[in-house]
Amino acid sequence: GSFIHPSDTSLEDARQRLRTALEQTRKLRIAFNERVYEKYRIVLHPPPSSVEKIVDQITADPIGLNIKLKQEIKQVKEEKEAEKKEAQRIAGVLNSSNADGKSTSYLETAVAYFGAGLNLVILPEHDIKDLEPELGKLKYRGPINPETGQRVSGISQAAATAAEVLLERVRQASVLRAERQKRNHLGAKATNVSENEQSDSGILSRYNLLSTMNSSANNKMRIAER
């Protein structure tokens, strides 16, 4: 229906046109990944090695793949909605705490990490066993050498610092997401108290962890600047 173009004279024409679009998108991802790695030494999720792998996955189980994609889209939407609600609650606590003269820098940091979506494109630092062969081809997996604490060769100081800030943002967003999921899971099992009924002090205590994490990030920045 919506994938059929007026210029298509057959179903095969439509399939070929879509195949071409998939290949163009795949090549754009390859070029973008290479550019990001060359400039920042940040590794993104690798695209499929060939368009055939994409097409084969679709033709092997089109219904199942459609269901999987819809589930993934639903999860992303639910995650964004959860972040939106929590950001609104934190904003309320910030307004109240600022009026009382309390320090809330870590809460402000928490809000900054919401909605970034970086975890969708940047390769995580854990649970990547299936990609180890591909990662073995890379000399570096980050802007900072984990053994020496110094920026890796071949990139500028500014690029190394910017990349480390970006990676730290992904790490902290991951911690916040895990904490949110854990809290929601425990809340569903143990109580019927809604998110909006939780105390301001509870919000403040949960995000105290960010002040420690920010100190660690700042130390890494100072090391990168040497």
Side-chain angles (χ1 to χ4, degrees), residues 133-154:
E134 292 187 41
L135 294 177
K137 303 173 184 177
L138 303 174
K139 187 175 181 180
Y140 304 106
R141 274 213 62 205
I144 305 299
N145 188 317
E147 296 180 358
T148 65
Q150 302 295 322
R151 68 183 176 92
V152 301
S153 61

Side-chain angles (χ1 to χ4, degrees), residues 45 123-133 135 141:
H45 282 279
L123 198 65
E125 297 173 300
H126 56 82
D127 194 23
I128 52 173
K129 294 179 181 179
D130 294 341
L131 295 173
E132 287 298 339
L135 294 177
R141 274 213 62 205

Side-chain angles (χ1 to χ4, degrees), residues 15-29 48 50-52 54-56 58:
R15 288 173 175 169
Q16 183 58 45
R17 184 168 49 78
L18 291 174
R19 182 188 180 94
T20 300
L22 288 171
E23 176 64 359
Q24 290 175 340
T25 303
R26 190 185 72 84
K27 288 183 176 179
L28 284 173
R29 283 187 61 190
S50 67
V51 70
E52 283 73 21
I54 303 175
V55 174
D56 290 347
I58 296 173

